[in-house]
Amino acid sequence: MQETFDLKEIAEIRLAADRMADAYQKSADEFSFRILLPRSEKSNSRAKKLGMTMQGEFVLTLRKRDIVPIVREVRYVHDESHYGWILASSKMFDRFEQKA
């Protein structure tokens, strides 16, 4: 992973989207990020809202830079208090799969 973002607030998303877009613009083939979202037994609406907002901001940031993203994703249960979301280039996923 290049970097992990543990998102708890909407206000954190703008910085994360900018850093991800910078990394993608620099080297799309080496792009990989893990995003942790809050997990709760009572409600997962917060995680969904943060995830959808993150996705929208990231895509919008890339579009403003005239970049078409080619990114794969995996969503999973990271631990008892987080969902995990991996965004990476196809080449990075191929590397992950070869190591497994």
Side-chain angles (χ1 to χ4, degrees), residues 47-96:
K48 287 179 185 178
K49 183 177 180 179
L50 287 169
M52 294 296 289
T53 304
M54 178 72 228
Q55 184 176 21
E57 275 299 317
F58 177 56
V59 170
L60 181 63
T61 302
L62 290 176
R63 284 187 181 163
K64 285 181 180 178
R65 298 178 187 194
D66 291 324
I67 300 170
V68 177
I70 301 172
V71 176
R72 290 174 53 189
E73 67 178 324
V74 172
R75 295 174 191 221
Y76 66 99
V77 175
H78 184 72
D79 60 27
E80 61 187 42
S81 58
H82 294 95
Y83 289 109
W85 185 20
I86 296 174
L87 298 170
S89 70
S90 293
K91 289 185 179 186
M92 293 302 288
F93 268 101
D94 292 343
R95 289 183 197 161
F96 297 146

Short mmCIF file of all heavy atoms in Angstrom, two decimals, residues 47-96:
data_model
loop_
_atom_site.label_atom_id
_atom_site.label_comp_id
_atom_site.label_asym_id
_atom_site.label_seq_id
_atom_site.Cartn_x
_atom_site.Cartn_y
_atom_site.Cartn_z
N ALA A 47 -20.43 4.98 7.27
CA ALA A 47 -19.40 4.43 6.40
C ALA A 47 -19.80 4.57 4.94
O ALA A 47 -18.98 4.93 4.09
CB ALA A 47 -19.13 2.96 6.74
N LYS A 48 -21.06 4.30 4.64
CA LYS A 48 -21.54 4.44 3.26
C LYS A 48 -21.43 5.88 2.78
O LYS A 48 -20.99 6.15 1.66
CB LYS A 48 -22.99 3.97 3.14
CG LYS A 48 -23.14 2.47 3.22
CD LYS A 48 -24.59 2.08 3.11
CE LYS A 48 -24.75 0.58 3.31
NZ LYS A 48 -26.17 0.18 3.25
N LYS A 49 -21.82 6.82 3.63
CA LYS A 49 -21.76 8.23 3.27
C LYS A 49 -20.32 8.67 3.04
O LYS A 49 -20.02 9.35 2.04
CB LYS A 49 -22.40 9.08 4.36
CG LYS A 49 -22.44 10.55 4.04
CD LYS A 49 -23.16 11.35 5.12
CE LYS A 49 -23.19 12.82 4.75
NZ LYS A 49 -23.88 13.62 5.76
N LEU A 50 -19.43 8.29 3.93
CA LEU A 50 -18.02 8.64 3.77
C LEU A 50 -17.44 8.01 2.51
O LEU A 50 -16.71 8.66 1.76
CB LEU A 50 -17.22 8.21 4.99
CG LEU A 50 -17.41 9.03 6.26
CD1 LEU A 50 -16.77 8.33 7.45
CD2 LEU A 50 -16.83 10.43 6.09
N GLY A 51 -17.77 6.75 2.26
CA GLY A 51 -17.26 6.05 1.09
C GLY A 51 -17.75 6.66 -0.21
O GLY A 51 -16.97 6.87 -1.15
N MET A 52 -19.03 6.97 -0.28
CA MET A 52 -19.60 7.57 -1.49
C MET A 52 -19.02 8.97 -1.72
O MET A 52 -18.71 9.34 -2.86
CB MET A 52 -21.12 7.64 -1.40
CG MET A 52 -21.80 6.28 -1.39
SD MET A 52 -21.56 5.38 -2.92
CE MET A 52 -22.59 6.34 -4.01
N THR A 53 -18.86 9.72 -0.66
CA THR A 53 -18.29 11.06 -0.77
C THR A 53 -16.83 10.97 -1.22
O THR A 53 -16.39 11.74 -2.09
CB THR A 53 -18.41 11.82 0.56
OG1 THR A 53 -19.79 11.85 0.95
CG2 THR A 53 -17.89 13.24 0.44
N MET A 54 -16.08 10.04 -0.66
CA MET A 54 -14.68 9.85 -1.05
C MET A 54 -14.58 9.49 -2.52
O MET A 54 -13.76 10.05 -3.26
CB MET A 54 -14.05 8.74 -0.18
CG MET A 54 -12.63 8.41 -0.51
SD MET A 54 -11.51 9.71 0.01
CE MET A 54 -10.54 9.89 -1.46
N GLN A 55 -15.39 8.57 -2.95
CA GLN A 55 -15.37 8.14 -4.35
C GLN A 55 -15.70 9.31 -5.28
O GLN A 55 -15.02 9.53 -6.28
CB GLN A 55 -16.37 7.01 -4.55
CG GLN A 55 -16.36 6.43 -5.94
CD GLN A 55 -17.30 5.24 -6.06
OE1 GLN A 55 -18.22 5.07 -5.26
NE2 GLN A 55 -17.06 4.42 -7.04
N GLY A 56 -16.73 10.07 -4.94
CA GLY A 56 -17.11 11.22 -5.75
C GLY A 56 -16.03 12.27 -5.83
O GLY A 56 -15.73 12.80 -6.91
N GLU A 57 -15.42 12.59 -4.70
CA GLU A 57 -14.35 13.59 -4.66
C GLU A 57 -13.14 13.15 -5.47
O GLU A 57 -12.54 13.94 -6.20
CB GLU A 57 -13.90 13.87 -3.23
CG GLU A 57 -14.69 14.88 -2.49
CD GLU A 57 -14.68 16.26 -3.10
OE1 GLU A 57 -13.63 16.78 -3.54
OE2 GLU A 57 -15.76 16.86 -3.14
N PHE A 58 -12.78 11.88 -5.35
CA PHE A 58 -11.62 11.36 -6.07
C PHE A 58 -11.86 11.43 -7.58
O PHE A 58 -11.03 11.94 -8.33
CB PHE A 58 -11.33 9.93 -5.62
CG PHE A 58 -10.19 9.27 -6.36
CD1 PHE A 58 -8.94 9.85 -6.39
CD2 PHE A 58 -10.39 8.07 -7.01
CE1 PHE A 58 -7.89 9.24 -7.07
CE2 PHE A 58 -9.35 7.44 -7.68
CZ PHE A 58 -8.10 8.04 -7.72
N VAL A 59 -13.01 10.96 -8.03
CA VAL A 59 -13.33 10.99 -9.46
C VAL A 59 -13.42 12.43 -9.97
O VAL A 59 -12.90 12.75 -11.04
CB VAL A 59 -14.63 10.19 -9.75
CG1 VAL A 59 -15.11 10.41 -11.17
CG2 VAL A 59 -14.42 8.71 -9.47
N LEU A 60 -14.05 13.30 -9.21
CA LEU A 60 -14.17 14.70 -9.61
C LEU A 60 -12.80 15.36 -9.72
O LEU A 60 -12.52 16.09 -10.68
CB LEU A 60 -15.04 15.47 -8.61
CG LEU A 60 -15.26 16.95 -8.91
CD1 LEU A 60 -16.01 17.13 -10.22
CD2 LEU A 60 -16.03 17.60 -7.76
N THR A 61 -11.93 15.09 -8.78
CA THR A 61 -10.57 15.65 -8.80
C THR A 61 -9.82 15.18 -10.04
O THR A 61 -9.15 15.97 -10.71
CB THR A 61 -9.81 15.28 -7.52
OG1 THR A 61 -10.53 15.76 -6.39
CG2 THR A 61 -8.41 15.87 -7.51
N LEU A 62 -9.94 13.89 -10.37
CA LEU A 62 -9.27 13.38 -11.57
C LEU A 62 -9.86 14.01 -12.83
O LEU A 62 -9.13 14.37 -13.75
CB LEU A 62 -9.37 11.86 -11.63
CG LEU A 62 -8.54 11.10 -10.59
CD1 LEU A 62 -8.80 9.61 -10.71
CD2 LEU A 62 -7.06 11.39 -10.75
N ARG A 63 -11.17 14.13 -12.89
CA ARG A 63 -11.82 14.73 -14.07
C ARG A 63 -11.38 16.18 -14.27
O ARG A 63 -11.19 16.63 -15.40
CB ARG A 63 -13.33 14.66 -13.95
CG ARG A 63 -13.86 13.28 -14.22
CD ARG A 63 -15.36 13.29 -14.26
NE ARG A 63 -15.84 11.94 -14.49
CZ ARG A 63 -17.07 11.55 -14.27
NH1 ARG A 63 -17.97 12.39 -13.80
NH2 ARG A 63 -17.43 10.31 -14.51
N LYS A 64 -11.24 16.93 -13.18
CA LYS A 64 -10.77 18.32 -13.28
C LYS A 64 -9.37 18.38 -13.88
O LYS A 64 -9.00 19.37 -14.49
CB LYS A 64 -10.77 18.98 -11.91
CG LYS A 64 -12.14 19.35 -11.41
CD LYS A 64 -12.05 20.02 -10.05
CE LYS A 64 -13.40 20.40 -9.52
NZ LYS A 64 -13.31 21.01 -8.17
N ARG A 65 -8.60 17.31 -13.69
CA ARG A 65 -7.24 17.24 -14.22
C ARG A 65 -7.21 16.53 -15.59
O ARG A 65 -6.13 16.22 -16.08
CB ARG A 65 -6.33 16.50 -13.24
CG ARG A 65 -6.22 17.19 -11.90
CD ARG A 65 -5.36 16.41 -10.96
NE ARG A 65 -5.39 16.98 -9.62
CZ ARG A 65 -4.52 16.65 -8.66
NH1 ARG A 65 -3.57 15.78 -8.89
NH2 ARG A 65 -4.62 17.21 -7.47
N ASP A 66 -8.36 16.27 -16.15
CA ASP A 66 -8.48 15.56 -17.44
C ASP A 66 -7.82 14.19 -17.41
O ASP A 66 -7.14 13.79 -18.36
CB ASP A 66 -7.90 16.40 -18.59
CG ASP A 66 -8.73 17.63 -18.88
OD1 ASP A 66 -9.97 17.55 -18.76
OD2 ASP A 66 -8.14 18.67 -19.22
N ILE A 67 -8.04 13.46 -16.32
CA ILE A 67 -7.51 12.11 -16.17
C ILE A 67 -8.68 11.14 -16.10
O ILE A 67 -9.62 11.35 -15.33
CB ILE A 67 -6.66 11.99 -14.89
CG1 ILE A 67 -5.48 12.96 -14.94
CG2 ILE A 67 -6.19 10.56 -14.68
CD1 ILE A 67 -4.74 13.08 -13.62
N VAL A 68 -8.60 10.09 -16.89
CA VAL A 68 -9.62 9.04 -16.85
C VAL A 68 -9.08 7.93 -15.94
O VAL A 68 -8.08 7.30 -16.28
CB VAL A 68 -9.93 8.48 -18.25
CG1 VAL A 68 -10.93 7.35 -18.17
CG2 VAL A 68 -10.43 9.59 -19.16
N PRO A 69 -9.73 7.68 -14.80
CA PRO A 69 -9.20 6.66 -13.88
C PRO A 69 -9.49 5.24 -14.36
O PRO A 69 -10.56 4.94 -14.86
CB PRO A 69 -9.94 6.95 -12.59
CG PRO A 69 -11.21 7.58 -13.01
CD PRO A 69 -10.90 8.34 -14.27
N ILE A 70 -8.49 4.40 -14.21
CA ILE A 70 -8.65 2.96 -14.42
C ILE A 70 -8.18 2.32 -13.12
O ILE A 70 -6.99 2.06 -12.93
CB ILE A 70 -7.83 2.46 -15.62
CG1 ILE A 70 -8.27 3.21 -16.89
CG2 ILE A 70 -8.01 0.95 -15.79
CD1 ILE A 70 -7.41 2.95 -18.10
N VAL A 71 -9.13 2.12 -12.22
CA VAL A 71 -8.82 1.67 -10.87
C VAL A 71 -9.74 0.52 -10.50
O VAL A 71 -10.93 0.56 -10.75
CB VAL A 71 -9.00 2.84 -9.86
CG1 VAL A 71 -8.78 2.38 -8.44
CG2 VAL A 71 -8.08 3.99 -10.20
N ARG A 72 -9.17 -0.50 -9.90
CA ARG A 72 -9.97 -1.61 -9.36
C ARG A 72 -10.14 -1.39 -7.87
O ARG A 72 -9.39 -0.66 -7.23
CB ARG A 72 -9.26 -2.94 -9.63
CG ARG A 72 -9.28 -3.29 -11.11
CD ARG A 72 -8.49 -4.52 -11.44
NE ARG A 72 -8.85 -5.68 -10.64
CZ ARG A 72 -8.16 -6.82 -10.65
NH1 ARG A 72 -7.08 -6.95 -11.39
NH2 ARG A 72 -8.53 -7.83 -9.92
N GLU A 73 -11.17 -2.05 -7.32
CA GLU A 73 -11.44 -1.86 -5.89
C GLU A 73 -11.85 -3.18 -5.24
O GLU A 73 -12.37 -4.07 -5.89
CB GLU A 73 -12.54 -0.81 -5.69
CG GLU A 73 -13.89 -1.24 -6.20
CD GLU A 73 -14.97 -0.21 -5.93
OE1 GLU A 73 -14.94 0.45 -4.88
OE2 GLU A 73 -15.85 -0.09 -6.78
N VAL A 74 -11.58 -3.24 -3.96
CA VAL A 74 -12.03 -4.35 -3.12
C VAL A 74 -12.53 -3.74 -1.83
O VAL A 74 -11.86 -2.89 -1.23
CB VAL A 74 -10.88 -5.33 -2.80
CG1 VAL A 74 -11.31 -6.36 -1.78
CG2 VAL A 74 -10.37 -5.99 -4.05
N ARG A 75 -13.72 -4.14 -1.42
CA ARG A 75 -14.27 -3.70 -0.13
C ARG A 75 -14.35 -4.93 0.77
O ARG A 75 -14.73 -6.00 0.31
CB ARG A 75 -15.65 -3.08 -0.33
CG ARG A 75 -15.56 -1.81 -1.14
CD ARG A 75 -16.92 -1.27 -1.47
NE ARG A 75 -16.80 -0.21 -2.46
CZ ARG A 75 -17.48 0.91 -2.44
NH1 ARG A 75 -18.36 1.13 -1.50
NH2 ARG A 75 -17.29 1.81 -3.38
N TYR A 76 -14.00 -4.76 2.03
CA TYR A 76 -13.93 -5.89 2.94
C TYR A 76 -14.11 -5.44 4.38
O TYR A 76 -14.06 -4.25 4.67
CB TYR A 76 -12.60 -6.62 2.75
CG TYR A 76 -11.39 -5.80 3.16
CD1 TYR A 76 -10.80 -5.98 4.40
CD2 TYR A 76 -10.86 -4.83 2.31
CE1 TYR A 76 -9.71 -5.23 4.78
CE2 TYR A 76 -9.76 -4.07 2.69
CZ TYR A 76 -9.19 -4.27 3.93
OH TYR A 76 -8.11 -3.53 4.31
N VAL A 77 -14.31 -6.38 5.27
CA VAL A 77 -14.36 -6.09 6.70
C VAL A 77 -12.91 -6.13 7.19
O VAL A 77 -12.26 -7.17 7.17
CB VAL A 77 -15.23 -7.12 7.46
CG1 VAL A 77 -15.17 -6.86 8.95
CG2 VAL A 77 -16.67 -7.05 6.96
N HIS A 78 -12.40 -4.98 7.59
CA HIS A 78 -10.99 -4.87 7.98
C HIS A 78 -10.76 -5.39 9.40
O HIS A 78 -9.86 -6.18 9.64
CB HIS A 78 -10.55 -3.41 7.89
CG HIS A 78 -9.12 -3.18 8.18
ND1 HIS A 78 -8.11 -3.56 7.31
CD2 HIS A 78 -8.50 -2.64 9.25
CE1 HIS A 78 -6.94 -3.26 7.83
NE2 HIS A 78 -7.15 -2.68 9.02
N ASP A 79 -11.56 -4.93 10.34
CA ASP A 79 -11.52 -5.41 11.71
C ASP A 79 -12.86 -5.09 12.34
O ASP A 79 -13.79 -4.66 11.66
CB ASP A 79 -10.33 -4.82 12.50
CG ASP A 79 -10.35 -3.30 12.59
OD1 ASP A 79 -11.44 -2.69 12.53
OD2 ASP A 79 -9.27 -2.71 12.73
N GLU A 80 -13.00 -5.27 13.63
CA GLU A 80 -14.32 -5.09 14.26
C GLU A 80 -14.80 -3.64 14.28
O GLU A 80 -15.98 -3.38 14.47
CB GLU A 80 -14.36 -5.69 15.66
CG GLU A 80 -13.38 -5.08 16.63
CD GLU A 80 -13.35 -5.82 17.95
OE1 GLU A 80 -13.38 -7.07 17.93
OE2 GLU A 80 -13.30 -5.14 18.99
N SER A 81 -13.90 -2.67 14.04
CA SER A 81 -14.35 -1.29 14.06
C SER A 81 -14.13 -0.54 12.73
O SER A 81 -14.36 0.66 12.66
CB SER A 81 -13.67 -0.52 15.20
OG SER A 81 -12.27 -0.58 15.06
N HIS A 82 -13.71 -1.27 11.68
CA HIS A 82 -13.47 -0.63 10.38
C HIS A 82 -13.87 -1.53 9.21
O HIS A 82 -13.67 -2.75 9.26
CB HIS A 82 -11.98 -0.31 10.18
CG HIS A 82 -11.46 0.70 11.10
ND1 HIS A 82 -10.82 0.37 12.27
CD2 HIS A 82 -11.47 2.06 11.04
CE1 HIS A 82 -10.44 1.48 12.89
NE2 HIS A 82 -10.84 2.51 12.17
N TYR A 83 -14.37 -0.89 8.19
CA TYR A 83 -14.44 -1.52 6.87
C TYR A 83 -13.18 -1.10 6.14
O TYR A 83 -12.64 -0.02 6.39
CB TYR A 83 -15.66 -1.02 6.07
CG TYR A 83 -16.96 -1.52 6.60
CD1 TYR A 83 -17.84 -0.66 7.24
CD2 TYR A 83 -17.32 -2.86 6.46
CE1 TYR A 83 -19.05 -1.12 7.73
CE2 TYR A 83 -18.53 -3.32 6.95
CZ TYR A 83 -19.39 -2.45 7.58
OH TYR A 83 -20.59 -2.90 8.06
N GLY A 84 -12.73 -1.92 5.24
CA GLY A 84 -11.58 -1.57 4.43
C GLY A 84 -11.99 -1.44 2.98
O GLY A 84 -12.92 -2.09 2.52
N TRP A 85 -11.28 -0.59 2.28
CA TRP A 85 -11.55 -0.36 0.87
C TRP A 85 -10.20 -0.14 0.21
O TRP A 85 -9.47 0.79 0.56
CB TRP A 85 -12.44 0.86 0.75
CG TRP A 85 -12.94 1.21 -0.60
CD1 TRP A 85 -13.03 0.41 -1.71
CD2 TRP A 85 -13.44 2.49 -0.99
NE1 TRP A 85 -13.57 1.11 -2.75
CE2 TRP A 85 -13.84 2.40 -2.34
CE3 TRP A 85 -13.61 3.69 -0.34
CZ2 TRP A 85 -14.37 3.45 -3.04
CZ3 TRP A 85 -14.16 4.74 -1.04
CH2 TRP A 85 -14.53 4.63 -2.37
N ILE A 86 -9.84 -1.00 -0.70
CA ILE A 86 -8.58 -0.87 -1.42
C ILE A 86 -8.88 -0.39 -2.82
O ILE A 86 -9.71 -0.96 -3.52
CB ILE A 86 -7.82 -2.22 -1.47
CG1 ILE A 86 -7.44 -2.64 -0.06
CG2 ILE A 86 -6.59 -2.10 -2.37
CD1 ILE A 86 -6.81 -4.01 0.01
N LEU A 87 -8.21 0.67 -3.22
CA LEU A 87 -8.27 1.20 -4.57
C LEU A 87 -6.87 1.08 -5.15
O LEU A 87 -5.90 1.55 -4.54
CB LEU A 87 -8.69 2.67 -4.57
CG LEU A 87 -10.06 2.98 -4.02
CD1 LEU A 87 -10.25 4.49 -3.85
CD2 LEU A 87 -11.12 2.45 -4.93
N ALA A 88 -6.74 0.43 -6.30
CA ALA A 88 -5.41 0.23 -6.87
C ALA A 88 -5.50 0.03 -8.38
O ALA A 88 -6.56 -0.34 -8.91
CB ALA A 88 -4.74 -0.99 -6.23
N SER A 89 -4.38 0.24 -9.03
CA SER A 89 -4.30 -0.02 -10.46
C SER A 89 -4.38 -1.52 -10.70
O SER A 89 -4.11 -2.33 -9.81
CB SER A 89 -2.98 0.52 -11.02
OG SER A 89 -1.90 -0.27 -10.56
N SER A 90 -4.74 -1.91 -11.90
CA SER A 90 -4.79 -3.34 -12.24
C SER A 90 -3.44 -4.00 -12.06
O SER A 90 -3.35 -5.13 -11.61
CB SER A 90 -5.27 -3.52 -13.68
OG SER A 90 -6.61 -3.12 -13.80
N LYS A 91 -2.37 -3.28 -12.40
CA LYS A 91 -1.02 -3.84 -12.23
C LYS A 91 -0.71 -4.12 -10.77
O LYS A 91 -0.07 -5.12 -10.45
CB LYS A 91 0.02 -2.91 -12.84
CG LYS A 91 -0.03 -2.89 -14.34
CD LYS A 91 1.07 -2.06 -14.93
CE LYS A 91 0.97 -2.10 -16.45
NZ LYS A 91 2.07 -1.44 -17.10
N MET A 92 -1.16 -3.25 -9.88
CA MET A 92 -0.93 -3.48 -8.45
C MET A 92 -1.73 -4.68 -7.97
O MET A 92 -1.24 -5.49 -7.19
CB MET A 92 -1.27 -2.23 -7.63
CG MET A 92 -0.35 -1.06 -7.89
SD MET A 92 1.39 -1.41 -7.55
CE MET A 92 1.39 -1.49 -5.79
N PHE A 93 -2.97 -4.83 -8.44
CA PHE A 93 -3.77 -6.00 -8.06
C PHE A 93 -3.11 -7.28 -8.55
O PHE A 93 -3.11 -8.29 -7.86
CB PHE A 93 -5.20 -5.90 -8.60
CG PHE A 93 -6.15 -5.27 -7.63
CD1 PHE A 93 -6.54 -3.95 -7.77
CD2 PHE A 93 -6.67 -6.00 -6.56
CE1 PHE A 93 -7.41 -3.36 -6.88
CE2 PHE A 93 -7.55 -5.42 -5.67
CZ PHE A 93 -7.92 -4.10 -5.83
N ASP A 94 -2.54 -7.24 -9.75
CA ASP A 94 -1.83 -8.41 -10.28
C ASP A 94 -0.67 -8.78 -9.37
O ASP A 94 -0.43 -9.96 -9.09
CB ASP A 94 -1.34 -8.16 -11.70
CG ASP A 94 -2.48 -8.05 -12.71
OD1 ASP A 94 -3.61 -8.48 -12.39
OD2 ASP A 94 -2.22 -7.52 -13.82
N ARG A 95 0.04 -7.79 -8.86
CA ARG A 95 1.16 -8.05 -7.93
C ARG A 95 0.65 -8.66 -6.63
O ARG A 95 1.25 -9.55 -6.07
CB ARG A 95 1.92 -6.76 -7.65
CG ARG A 95 2.72 -6.27 -8.80
CD ARG A 95 3.50 -5.05 -8.42
NE ARG A 95 3.93 -4.37 -9.63
CZ ARG A 95 4.30 -3.12 -9.69
NH1 ARG A 95 4.34 -2.39 -8.57
NH2 ARG A 95 4.68 -2.57 -10.81
N PHE A 96 -0.47 -8.11 -6.11
CA PHE A 96 -1.05 -8.65 -4.87
C PHE A 96 -1.43 -10.12 -5.05
O PHE A 96 -1.17 -10.94 -4.19
CB PHE A 96 -2.30 -7.87 -4.44
CG PHE A 96 -2.08 -6.43 -4.12
CD1 PHE A 96 -3.06 -5.49 -4.41
CD2 PHE A 96 -0.91 -5.98 -3.52
CE1 PHE A 96 -2.89 -4.15 -4.12
CE2 PHE A 96 -0.73 -4.64 -3.22
CZ PHE A 96 -1.72 -3.73 -3.52
#
